């Protein structure tokens, strides 16, 4: 898909635009992340002409979003000074401590302080350490919330796994495994609860049929508004989660 990169060169932003071919994608989509990074997701087999038409149709919207979000996380894109996790009501200050270790590590120091130590010159290592720590936190916090919501609705599932997906907030397999995106930590609790409920309803209906949505609505009457907020949720995820 390299020819599509020419679409962005004229704007001088090729380093902030990425085109990703996804075997799971069924349609073209575009996301603008905090800091102004743009990702175009392309289903396999899509032609360059189709991608060009898609970008042309959405170009004004994309550039408006880039302008809105270009300063949202630019200053701390690689080394965030703080991490706010609305899903669990926590806000951490982040401190950096150089050390001779080759591996970056994250530890909690006090109630609301994270200390990152290791090779502070290695941006990728720092981001990877923070993502790993957040994944462990999500496994415990969001995993427990999933169990709670399941008990309230008498749902059954086999296990939970936390992943860092670019296109999905969650999924439910036929075998009963519910996969949740670590980035849910950056969303409002009400939106997270809706996503958990959505996936749990798939344990009874492995589709998006009328029966499925009726089941969702029986537990969450305001699901339509929450679903729309979930679609916009990527705007709340800091860029270093995918750097």
């Amino acid at each position: 898909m390299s020819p599509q990169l020419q679409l962005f060169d004229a704007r001088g932003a090729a380093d902030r635009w990425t085109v990703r071919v996804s075997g799971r994608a069924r349609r073209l989509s575009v996301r603008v992340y905090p800091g102004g990074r743009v990702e175009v997701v392309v289903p396999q087999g899509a032609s360059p002409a189709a991608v060009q038409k898609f970008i042309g149709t959405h170009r004004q919207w994309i550039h408006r979003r880039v302008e809105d979000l270009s300063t949202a996380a630019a200053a701390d894109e690689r080394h965030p000074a703080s991490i706010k996790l609305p899903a669990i009501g926590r806000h951490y200050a982040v401190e950096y401590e150089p050390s001779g270790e080759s591996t970056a590590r994250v530890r909690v120091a006090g109630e609301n302080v994270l200390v990152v130590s290791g090779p502070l010159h290695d941006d990728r290592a720092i981001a990877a350490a923070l993502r790993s720590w957040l994944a462990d936190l999500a496994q415990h916090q969001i995993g427990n919330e999933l169990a709670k919501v399941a008990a309230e609705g008498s749902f059954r599932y086999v296990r939970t796994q936390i992943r860092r997906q670019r296109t999905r907030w969650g999924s439910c397999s036929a075998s009963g495994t519910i996969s949740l995106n670590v980035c849910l930590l950056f969303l409002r609790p009400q939106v997270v609860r809706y996503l958990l409920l959505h996936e749990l309803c798939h344990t009874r209906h492995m589709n998006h049929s009328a029966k499925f949505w009726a089941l969702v609505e029986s537990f969450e009457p305001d699901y339509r508004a929450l679903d729309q907020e979930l679609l916009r949720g990527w705007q709340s995820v800091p860029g270093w989660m995918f750097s």
Side-chain angles (χ1 to χ4, degrees), residues 67-96:
E67 291 176 358
D68 291 342
L69 296 173
S70 61
T71 60
D76 56 355
E77 179 77 9
R78 298 294 186 179
H79 289 67
S82 65
I83 298 177
K84 188 175 183 180
L85 306 174
I88 59 175
R90 296 187 187 179
H91 191 173
Y92 294 93
V94 184
E95 299 178 355
Y96 296 88

Side-chain angles (χ1 to χ4, degrees), residues 119-211:
L120 301 187
H121 64 281
D122 190 338
D123 293 339
R124 290 184 179 276
I126 296 301
L130 286 169
R131 291 194 296 261
S132 178
W133 183 82
L134 287 171
D136 289 341
L137 183 65
Q139 183 71 54
H140 177 69
Q141 295 289 333
I142 299 182
N144 286 346
E145 184 64 19
L146 178 66
K148 178 182 176 182
V149 175
E152 292 173 354
S154 298
F155 292 101
R156 293 184 178 182
Y157 62 98
V158 176
R159 68 185 184 100
T160 310
Q161 65 178 9
I162 299 296
R163 303 174 64 186
R164 184 170 57 95
Q165 299 164 294
R166 292 174 178 267
T167 60
R168 294 186 179 189
W169 289 108
S171 62
C172 178
S173 72
S175 62
T177 295
I178 293 182
S179 297
L180 302 172
N181 197 318
V182 61
C183 296
L184 288 168
L185 288 168
F186 296 96
L187 306 186
R188 293 195 308 123
Q190 296 89 334
V191 179
V192 175
R193 183 183 181 280
Y194 160 69
L195 184 279
L196 300 180
L197 179 62
H198 183 113
E199 300 308 334
L200 287 168
C201 285
H202 277 312
T203 63
R204 299 182 187 175
H205 301 285
M206 289 295 294
N207 51 46
H208 287 105
S209 63
K211 289 183 177 180

